[in-house]
Structures are given as C-alpha cells and as structure tokens.
C-alpha cells in the first residue's frame, strides 16, 4: 500500500426530511449572508427550494438566490455568481441540486476569494488559496461532489471542460435525503449510477497490489450499485435502494476507494471532452467509452481485469485462459450498462463522430498535445484518438 492522506471534513446528515435541518447547519457555520445556488428548476418545482428558504428564515439567516446552473455547468454562470456574491456580501454558499449546481457553487466560492480570473484555477495556472465555505442539499446521487475536492466547469469559449481540485472546496456539510432523488428521470438516475461506479473503477484499475481492504470496499460498493440500480429501474421510489445508491455516491468520490494506490482516470478525461464538445450527460459519456478503454488497456495487467470479472461481475474464472475471463468481465459490465439503458458507444448518444472530430477530441484531451492521461496505462494523443475511434 502506498502512502496516502485521507481528508473528509464534510459533515454528512443522512435520511428522510433532513433538509429541514439546513437552517441550523448554516447557523453552525456562523454564516450571515447565504447564496443559494441551484440548477434549472427541478428544486423549485419540487418545493425543495421553498423548504430550504423556510428553514433559513426560521434561523433568521438572510440569503439571495441564483438559479441556472446547467448540466456541464458554464463559466459564465460562475462569473454571474461571483458578481452577485460580491455585491451582496455573501459569506456562505448553499448548493441545492446535483453535481452541476455544486461544482458551479465551488467555482463561485473560489472566485469570491480571488482577485484574478477564476478560470486560472481550471487551466491549472495556479491553485485556489481560499474558498467561501459551502454546504450542499443533494438532489441527485452521481458525482460525489458533495464530499469531493473537485469542481468541473465548461468554458463556452472553445467549449473546454476543465476541473480544479482543492481541499478548500470540500463542502462543510452535505444533506443527503434519498427521497429527494425520487423525481429524477430514469436516464439521470442511471447516468448517476454509472458515474458512481466509475469513480470507484477509476481508482480500482491500478497497479498497486497490496490493497486488500480497499479492494474489498471497492468491490462491495460496485456490487451494491449493480444490485440497486437494477431495483431502481422498476421501482424508482424504493427508499432503501435510493439510500444505498446515494451513500455509495458520496463514498465513491470522497477518496475512500483510492487510499493507498494511484488511480487511472483516463475515462473521465476522455468523457470530459465529449461533455465539453457535445454537452452529453457525464454518466452516459463514461458508459460509452469505458468498454473501449478497457479493451485497449487490459493487457497491461490481465490479472486485475480477471479479479474485477470474478469479484464484481460474477464471471466464472477460467484459470487456463485469463484473457478470456478478463474479456468476459468487460463484456459483462457492458451488458449491465445496456440493461440499465446506458449507451456503450458514442453513436448511441446520437453523435456520429467524424475523423476530424476525433482529432479535435484527442487534441483537446491531450491539452493541445502537452500531456498524457491514465495511471493504469499511459495514453498519448494518438492512443486517445484510437479509443475514441473504437468507442464511436
Ligand atoms: O438543473 P435541474 O433542474 O435541477 O435538473 C437537473 C439536470 O437537468 C436534473 N435533476 C437533478 N436533481 C433532480 C433532477 N431532476 C429531477 N429531480 C431531481 N431530484 O438532473 C439533470 C442533471 O443534473 P446535474 O447536476 O448536471 O447532474 P450530475 O450530478 O451528474 O452532475 C454532472 C456534472 O458534474 C461533473 C460532471 O462532469 C458534470 O459536469 N462532475 C463533477 C465531479 C466532482 N465535482 O467531484 C466529479 C464527476 O466525475 C463529474 O465530472
Ligand atoms: Zn464522474
């Protein structure tokens, strides 16, 4: 096991009706003026926003609201939030929504503490030095942004989707009420399930051998996800299944399943370009590229893919032919993705990539040919193009 740091400062408040505690939780943070940031309107339509505002009022906390964080949240909205936050003297940001509202809130939080252009952090020109404290009322189990150190923003100029990471952006608290996810369309629920699984798999496909406990946690999380995603297909208001998925979402991306090893993250990098250029849903984009990535890299360490096939996908091992077992595991996960109505190719998302677009995706994903991606197998611009081609 490699050296590691594990830092999860987020207070999790889990269960039915927990959003009614939001006022008290904000008060604990000694906030005076809150910016409530939300998405395109689902939180308004469901009445959640009204309940959140009532809870703040009951504690005598003043607030302003800013909606409009879209999936693949835009830099222009972050700028709008920074301007509003400065004008209103905001000292706390409350994100009400999914990963997009949370990531946009993190961007606003960084921008409020920085004299320069907040995009500098996403271009990795420098690291955030401070962030306005954040809280979250989560409405979608997917990104794990409610406990993670990341924020992913899309710059409309050039349609670049980029991330920044800092412990300063980890929310102070996250309210997780699984009932709030009942109103999600099936497609978004399943996109979330894929994203949750991928956050663990990106960490699982690693060359570090001595991670028995972390492997067991990761494999258990993945099996739990497969089991409960299937339940939600036919029974979307099943509280226990929603609960398992929601808690898995937070644990999948708070660092737990990556302790002691170096992750891969190539699929996320490949997907981010698809999200930036074509505005596809993040989880769907991940499902569309994973199988192609896996077939491209599995020979780097066949035994790792055999372990995944047997421990996670329930494939019967053929000790004589490890490659056969490894490939059967890849096929089994793709079959699972199909069964939850997720795409396993880019064309299934309605995008028929031209050679020119493949070139552009690979160019952008390699940061204009200045970086490689992938911890399991290092991939350069040419490899990226080959995987996009396989996945198309
Ligand atoms: O905007 P509203 O109206 O709320 O609608 C949203 C949106 O259309 C809807 N929705 C959310 N909760 C709902 C609901 N509809 C009905 N009922 C509810 N309870 O679902 C749609 C998707 O929401 P969004 O927040 O975009 O989804 P998600 O949570 O998947 O976030 C995706 C973004 O997060 C980034 C992704 O790249 C993408 O930009 N990620 C962030 C990460 C992080 N910060 O740690 C890690 C991830 O790997 C990921 O990259
Ligand atoms: Zn993700």
């Amino acid at each position: 096991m490699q050296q590691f740091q594990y830092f999860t400062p987020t207070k999790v408040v889990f269960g039915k009706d927990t959003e009614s505690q939001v006022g008290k939780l904000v008060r604990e943070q000694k906030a005076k003026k809150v910016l409530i940031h939300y998405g395109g309107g689902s939180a308004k339509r469901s009445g959640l926003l009204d309940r959140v505002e009532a809870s703040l009022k009951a504690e005598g906390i003043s607030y302003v609201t800013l909606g409009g964080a879209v999936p693949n949240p835009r830099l222009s909205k972050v700028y709008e939030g920074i301007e509003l936050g400065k004008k209103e003297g905001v000292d706390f940001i409350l994100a009400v929504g999914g990963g997009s509202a949370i990531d946009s809130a993190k961007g606003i939080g960084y921008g409020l503490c920085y004299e320069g252009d907040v995009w500098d952090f996403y271009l990795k020109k420098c690291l955030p030095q401070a962030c306005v404290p954040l809280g979250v009322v989560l409405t979608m189990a997917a990104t794990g942004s409610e406990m993670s150190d990341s924020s992913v923003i899309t710059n409309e100029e050039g349609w670049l989707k980029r991330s920044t990471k800092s412990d300063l952006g980890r929310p102070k608290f996250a309210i997780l009420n699984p009932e709030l996810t009942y109103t999600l369309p099936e497609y978004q629920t399943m996109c979330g399930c894929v994203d949750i699984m991928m956050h663990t798999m990106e960490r699982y496909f690693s060359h570090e051998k001595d991670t028995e406990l972390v492997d067991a946690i990761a494999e258990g999380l993945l099996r739990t996800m497969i089991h409960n995603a299937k339940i939600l297909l036919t029974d979307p208001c099943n509280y226990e299944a929603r609960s398992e998925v929601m808690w898995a979402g937070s644990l999948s991306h708070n660092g737990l399943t990556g302790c002691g090893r170096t992750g891969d993250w190539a699929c996320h990098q490949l997907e981010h370009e698809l999200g930036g250029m074509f505005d596809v849903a993040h989880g769907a984009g991940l499902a569309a590229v994973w199988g192609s990535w896996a077939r491209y890299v599995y020979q780097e360490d066949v035994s790792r893919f055999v372990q995944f096939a047997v421990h996670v996908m329930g494939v019967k091992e053929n000790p004589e032919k490890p490659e056969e077992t490894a490939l059967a595991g890849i096929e089994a996960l793709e079959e699972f993705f199909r069964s939850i109505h997720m795409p396993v190719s880019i064309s299934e998302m309605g995008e028929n990539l031209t050679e020119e677009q493949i070139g552009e995706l690979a160019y952008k994903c390699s940061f204009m040919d200045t970086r490689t991606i992938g911890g399991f197998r290092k991939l350069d611009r040419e490899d990226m193009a080959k995987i996009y081609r396989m996945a198309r």
Side-chain angles (χ1 to χ4, degrees):
M1 203 186 293
Q2 297 167 7
Q3 281 190 343
F4 68 88
Q5 288 191 8
Y6 180 55
F7 180 63
T8 53
T10 307
K11 177 174 185 170
V12 174
V13 182
F14 190 102
K16 291 182 183 178
D17 299 323
T18 41
E19 66 274 17
S20 64
Q21 299 175 37
V22 68
K24 286 199 173 64
L25 288 161
V26 172
R27 166 129 333 279
E28 272 177 22
Q29 297 297 323
K30 303 190 180 5
K32 292 192 177 64
K33 185 82 178 259
V34 176
L35 172 64
I36 302 176
H37 191 38
Y38 60 97
S42 73
K44 221 174 195 166
R45 285 193 298 279
S46 67
L48 172 63
L49 215 53
D50 288 342
R51 297 204 296 285
V52 165
E53 290 182 34
S55 179
L56 292 182
K57 277 184 196 151
E59 292 294 325
I61 297 164
S62 62
Y63 58 86
V64 283
T65 61
L66 177 67
V70 294
N72 298 315
R74 308 290 197 259
L75 182 61
S76 57
K77 183 56 69 176
V78 172
Y79 288 150
E80 194 184 328
I82 295 168
E83 211 178 300
L84 179 66
K86 277 188 181 150
K87 191 173 121 224
E88 296 286 341
V90 159
D91 61 359
F92 193 86
I93 306 175
L94 183 65
V96 180
S100 295
I102 305 170
D103 284 5
S104 186
K106 288 177 180 176
I108 296 168
Y110 292 135
L112 279 171
C113 301
Y114 182 56
E115 288 300 313
D117 182 352
V118 70
W119 189 242
D120 290 350
F121 302 132
Y122 296 85
L123 288 179
K124 302 191 171 44
K125 282 190 186 166
C126 52
L127 288 170
Q129 299 298 318
C131 186
V132 169
L134 305 155
V136 173
V137 180
L138 189 66
T139 65
M140 173 163 175
T143 63
S145 187
E146 66 276 11
M147 290 183 89
S148 85
D149 60 355
S150 322
S151 162
V152 191
I153 297 294
T154 297
N155 188 341
E156 298 95 318
E157 242 175 67
W159 295 104
L160 286 179
K161 186 171 172 180
R162 294 286 178 262
S163 66
T164 187
K165 279 182 202 281
S166 167
D167 281 335
L168 297 163
R170 290 189 195 261
K172 301 290 176 198
F173 65 79
I175 292 178
L176 310 185
N177 175 359
E179 286 185 320
L180 297 180
T181 63
Y182 287 179
T183 49
L184 276 166
E186 180 197 282
Y187 185 72
Q188 291 298 343
T189 297
M190 297 308 155
C191 282
C193 289
V194 172
D195 193 21
I196 292 167
M197 293 179 70
M198 284 300 304
H199 291 155
T200 286
M201 284 158 55
E202 297 272 28
R203 293 172 165 97
Y204 183 84
F205 287 102
S206 151
H207 294 292
E208 179 61 45
K209 296 287 179 209
D210 301 311
T211 48
E212 184 181 338
L213 173 61
V214 177
D215 274 1
I217 295 171
E219 289 162 359
L221 189 151
L222 291 170
R223 288 193 302 268
T224 303
M225 284 303 303
I226 290 172
H227 177 68
N228 288 284
K230 284 182 190 157
I231 294 174
L232 292 179
L233 259 188
T234 53
D235 189 6
C237 297
N238 183 312
Y239 182 77
E240 296 310 328
R242 287 282 183 192
S243 301
E244 299 291 349
V245 167
M246 197 169 226
W247 188 217
S250 298
L251 295 184
S252 203
H253 204 35
N254 75 357
L256 177 65
T257 59
C259 291
R261 59 181 167 213
T262 309
D264 180 73
W265 297 103
C267 289
H268 266 73
Q269 301 307 318
L270 292 164
E271 190 290 323
H272 281 174
E273 299 315 322
L274 290 171
M277 270 173 68
F278 304 113
D279 212 14
V280 298
H282 175 61
L286 290 170
V289 296
W290 183 80
S292 299
W293 167 83
R295 288 191 182 86
Y296 196 76
V297 306
Y298 78 98
Q299 281 161 328
E300 282 294 299
D301 183 357
V302 174
S303 69
R304 195 69 185 154
F305 274 86
V306 168
Q307 184 177 333
F308 172 78
V310 175
H311 289 194
V312 178
M313 301 313 301
V315 170
K316 196 172 171 332
E317 186 172 2
N318 180 349
E320 310 292 308
K321 294 185 177 164
E323 290 220 7
E324 199 176 284
T325 309
L327 288 168
I330 296 170
E331 181 54 42
L333 185 63
E334 283 188 323
E335 198 43 49
F336 166 71
F337 285 160
R338 282 190 201 98
S339 79
I340 60 168
H341 309 142
M342 284 286 106
V344 293
S345 68
I346 295 167
S347 62
E348 287 170 52
M349 295 189 294
E351 300 298 336
N352 295 303
L353 295 186
T354 61
E355 271 304 311
E356 198 186 339
Q357 286 171 325
I358 289 174
E360 186 179 345
L361 284 163
Y363 182 60
K364 284 179 165 174
C365 190
S366 62
F367 285 6
M368 325 315 169
D369 218 0
T370 60
R371 69 157 182 177
T372 57
I373 59 170
F376 189 73
R377 174 170 163 188
K378 203 184 271 184
L379 304 170
D380 62 17
R381 180 177 167 187
E382 212 170 293
D383 297 313
M384 296 170 202
K386 283 183 187 157
I387 295 173
Y388 283 126
R389 204 167 288 123
M390 281 168 75
R392 98 171 126 177

